[in-house]
mmCIF file of all heavy atoms in Angstrom:
data_model
loop_
_atom_site.group_PDB
_atom_site.id
_atom_site.type_symbol
_atom_site.label_atom_id
_atom_site.label_comp_id
_atom_site.label_asym_id
_atom_site.label_seq_id
_atom_site.Cartn_x
_atom_site.Cartn_y
_atom_site.Cartn_z
ATOM 1 N N PHE A 308 81.522 120.478 96.822
ATOM 2 C CA PHE A 308 82.156 120.799 98.183
ATOM 3 C C PHE A 308 83.681 120.921 98.055
ATOM 4 O O PHE A 308 84.228 121.744 98.639
ATOM 5 C CB PHE A 308 81.796 119.600 99.061
ATOM 6 C CG PHE A 308 82.577 119.557 100.414
ATOM 7 C CD1 PHE A 308 82.241 120.504 101.477
ATOM 8 C CD2 PHE A 308 83.683 118.740 100.642
ATOM 9 C CE1 PHE A 308 82.912 120.493 102.561
ATOM 10 C CE2 PHE A 308 84.369 118.788 101.863
ATOM 11 C CZ PHE A 308 84.002 119.819 102.782
ATOM 12 N N LEU A 309 84.318 120.054 97.205
ATOM 13 C CA LEU A 309 85.808 120.153 97.024
ATOM 14 C C LEU A 309 86.212 121.508 96.456
ATOM 15 O O LEU A 309 87.210 121.954 96.754
ATOM 16 C CB LEU A 309 86.181 118.940 96.187
ATOM 17 C CG LEU A 309 86.129 117.578 96.897
ATOM 18 C CD1 LEU A 309 86.579 116.399 95.911
ATOM 19 C CD2 LEU A 309 87.058 117.548 98.006
ATOM 20 N N GLN A 310 85.404 121.936 95.483
ATOM 21 C CA GLN A 310 85.698 123.143 94.883
ATOM 22 C C GLN A 310 85.553 124.381 95.840
ATOM 23 O O GLN A 310 86.543 125.256 95.860
ATOM 24 C CB GLN A 310 84.823 123.438 93.592
ATOM 25 C CG GLN A 310 84.994 124.669 92.906
ATOM 26 C CD GLN A 310 84.097 124.897 91.714
ATOM 27 O OE1 GLN A 310 83.129 124.102 91.459
ATOM 28 N NE2 GLN A 310 84.290 125.954 90.937
ATOM 29 N N GLU A 311 84.611 124.350 96.684
ATOM 30 C CA GLU A 311 84.460 125.376 97.709
ATOM 31 C C GLU A 311 85.569 125.177 98.788
ATOM 32 O O GLU A 311 86.175 126.177 99.218
ATOM 33 C CB GLU A 311 83.182 125.192 98.360
ATOM 34 C CG GLU A 311 82.880 126.373 99.390
ATOM 35 C CD GLU A 311 81.555 126.108 100.173
ATOM 36 O OE1 GLU A 311 80.773 125.282 99.804
ATOM 37 O OE2 GLU A 311 81.232 127.127 100.825
ATOM 38 N N LEU A 312 85.933 123.991 99.150
ATOM 39 C CA LEU A 312 87.014 123.769 100.076
ATOM 40 C C LEU A 312 88.298 124.166 99.598
ATOM 41 O O LEU A 312 89.200 124.736 100.366
ATOM 42 C CB LEU A 312 86.951 122.223 100.490
ATOM 43 C CG LEU A 312 88.030 121.826 101.472
ATOM 44 C CD1 LEU A 312 87.807 122.292 102.841
ATOM 45 C CD2 LEU A 312 88.083 120.266 101.650
ATOM 46 N N SER A 313 88.583 123.878 98.410
ATOM 47 C CA SER A 313 90.055 124.156 97.759
ATOM 48 C C SER A 313 90.358 125.603 97.932
ATOM 49 O O SER A 313 91.605 125.937 97.906
ATOM 50 C CB SER A 313 90.086 123.592 96.361
ATOM 51 O OG SER A 313 89.803 122.180 96.334
ATOM 52 N N SER A 314 89.364 126.513 97.800
ATOM 53 C CA SER A 314 89.698 127.914 97.765
ATOM 54 C C SER A 314 89.985 128.414 99.223
ATOM 55 O O SER A 314 90.339 129.559 99.316
ATOM 56 C CB SER A 314 88.545 128.682 97.200
ATOM 57 O OG SER A 314 87.303 128.477 98.011
ATOM 58 N N CYS A 315 89.867 127.517 100.172
ATOM 59 C CA CYS A 315 89.995 127.992 101.626
ATOM 60 C C CYS A 315 91.225 127.358 102.352
ATOM 61 O O CYS A 315 91.621 127.815 103.431
ATOM 62 C CB CYS A 315 88.758 127.640 102.459
ATOM 63 S SG CYS A 315 87.328 128.184 101.780
ATOM 64 N N VAL A 316 91.928 126.439 101.644
ATOM 65 C CA VAL A 316 92.960 125.729 102.425
ATOM 66 C C VAL A 316 94.236 125.563 101.478
ATOM 67 O O VAL A 316 94.139 125.943 100.185
ATOM 68 C CB VAL A 316 92.575 124.320 102.845
ATOM 69 C CG1 VAL A 316 91.442 124.376 103.758
ATOM 70 C CG2 VAL A 316 92.108 123.476 101.621
ATOM 71 N N ARG A 317 95.326 125.122 102.007
ATOM 72 C CA ARG A 317 96.625 124.947 101.297
ATOM 73 C C ARG A 317 96.489 123.726 100.358
ATOM 74 O O ARG A 317 97.005 123.777 99.203
ATOM 75 C CB ARG A 317 97.722 124.757 102.196
ATOM 76 C CG ARG A 317 99.103 124.901 101.554
ATOM 77 C CD ARG A 317 100.158 124.801 102.586
ATOM 78 N NE ARG A 317 100.348 123.624 103.118
ATOM 79 C CZ ARG A 317 101.262 123.250 104.149
ATOM 80 N NH1 ARG A 317 101.996 124.167 104.615
ATOM 81 N NH2 ARG A 317 101.310 122.082 104.687
ATOM 82 N N GLN A 318 95.983 122.516 100.845
ATOM 83 C CA GLN A 318 95.844 121.305 100.105
ATOM 84 C C GLN A 318 94.898 120.469 100.631
ATOM 85 O O GLN A 318 94.565 120.457 101.808
ATOM 86 C CB GLN A 318 97.347 120.658 100.021
ATOM 87 C CG GLN A 318 97.663 119.978 101.397
ATOM 88 C CD GLN A 318 99.044 119.277 101.269
ATOM 89 O OE1 GLN A 318 100.009 119.933 100.885
ATOM 90 N NE2 GLN A 318 99.069 118.097 101.567
ATOM 91 N N VAL A 319 94.320 119.621 99.823
ATOM 92 C CA VAL A 319 93.461 118.576 100.045
ATOM 93 C C VAL A 319 93.783 117.138 99.565
ATOM 94 O O VAL A 319 94.261 117.124 98.466
ATOM 95 C CB VAL A 319 92.005 118.937 99.405
ATOM 96 C CG1 VAL A 319 90.957 117.949 99.897
ATOM 97 C CG2 VAL A 319 91.487 120.387 99.813
ATOM 98 N N ALA A 320 93.721 116.209 100.366
ATOM 99 C CA ALA A 320 93.898 114.852 100.003
ATOM 100 C C ALA A 320 92.880 113.864 100.498
ATOM 101 O O ALA A 320 92.167 114.067 101.586
ATOM 102 C CB ALA A 320 95.277 114.450 100.543
#
Side-chain angles (χ1 to χ4, degrees):
F308 171 76
L309 291 173
Q310 184 177 3
E311 184 180 3
L312 178 64
S313 300
S314 61
C315 304
V316 299
R317 188 176 74 182
Q318 70 181 52
V319 181

